[in-house]
Structure formats: C-alpha cells, structure tokens
Amino acid sequence: MTVDGSQERYVEGITKLLPAGERVQAVAKVRAGGGLTPAPPPQPTAPPASGGPGFLGVLLNVLSPNITFGRADSAVDWLFFGVGGRGEPGSQASLLHHALTVAAKGSGVRGIVLAVTDQRLLLGATAPVGLLANSAADERAQADIELLGSVPRTTATARFGRYRLNWKRLRIDFADGSWLSFHVSLADSGRPLREVAAALSAG
C-alpha cells in the first residue's frame, strides 16, 4: 500500500474499523462535491398529527407558495458547480449522500474520509472538532472515524479530473447507475484522490 503522507492519520482510523484480514489500499480526506445531489432515500410516512394544523400551520400554508428559496439555491448550485451526484431514492449514491448530510448536523466540524480496501469502498467521518482545530485532542479526533457506509469494491468505479469549479474532482460510479463526486481544495494535493481512483480501477 502506498498512501500519501498527509493521509496517514486517516489510515489509522480506517484500519480500526476493519475486520482481520481486510487491508487498506488508498485513503483520502475529501469534500462532498458541490452542485445538485442525489434524491434522498424514501422516508417512512409519518402518521397524521391530531388536532388540525393550528393557526401557525394555516399561516405557513398560505405563505408557502411564495417561498421559493429552495429552487433558487438549486439553480445557483447548478450554475456554478453543475451536478455533484445523481441517483434515484434508495440508490447507493442516495444512501451515502444522506449519511453525509446526517453526519454534518450537530456541533463541530467533521472531515469526510474515503477509503478503498481489498474488499470495499468505505465512506467515513472524523470526530467533530472546533473551527480552529489545533490542539492535541483535535489531532487525535482526526483518527477517530465513524463508518457512514460502504459498498463492495466490485460495485464501484472512479475517475479523477476537472469539472467546472472543482479542479480536483473524483467521481465514483456505482453499479446501480447512481454516482457521487468528491473534491479537495485548490491548496491541497490531488494525489490522494488519484490513489483512490487507481485503487478502484485496479479491480
């Protein structure tokens, strides 16, 4: 295994998640691709609330046709970043992107980590740290990774390149036809993303 030196702390965290015999082949700390994203997974239908909507509910129902921020935000995302992923509700991309969304909620900042082993593609998130992460505890938190999801290695392929404002972009395609993209900032090396793409391409 050859892993970029800047990713070694994440290798430690990923290795702790693996059963005996499974080996890490590539690791990259990434950001979720910008732009339009896959549809969320199907949600269970909530039972109807009793007692009616009340005054506030009626007021919001009257106002809601005039609230269009969601569509405007989507249009801006598409204009600048294009498409960050596609997938039907419940597809691999849908499930993994939803896991990322849930992990991002709450206090602290969490890093996203992709890893390829000899058996799987794994998606994880580091423990939350403060905005100015520079203490020893924050450094240790980078190696404390929660597994958000995984897919068999044979069901994913990847390619690395530029797309719109993402100069260092990794696109991962899943066997069900869905896909997700990830990138790093301009200041960071694209080598870890290339290593992930190469490991998946090696089959």
Side-chain angles (χ1 to χ4, degrees), residues 168-185:
K168 301 167 186 176
R169 181 184 191 246
L170 176 74
R171 171 172 162 160
I172 298 179
D173 290 87
F174 301 102
D176 61 9
S178 64
W179 60 273
L180 282 176
S181 66
F182 301 90
H183 67 280
V184 294
S185 68

Side-chain angles (χ1 to χ4, degrees), residues 23-37:
R23 294 197 253 311
V24 177
Q25 297 187 331
V27 171
K29 183 183 179 187
V30 298
R31 297 177 179 180
L36 302 183
T37 54

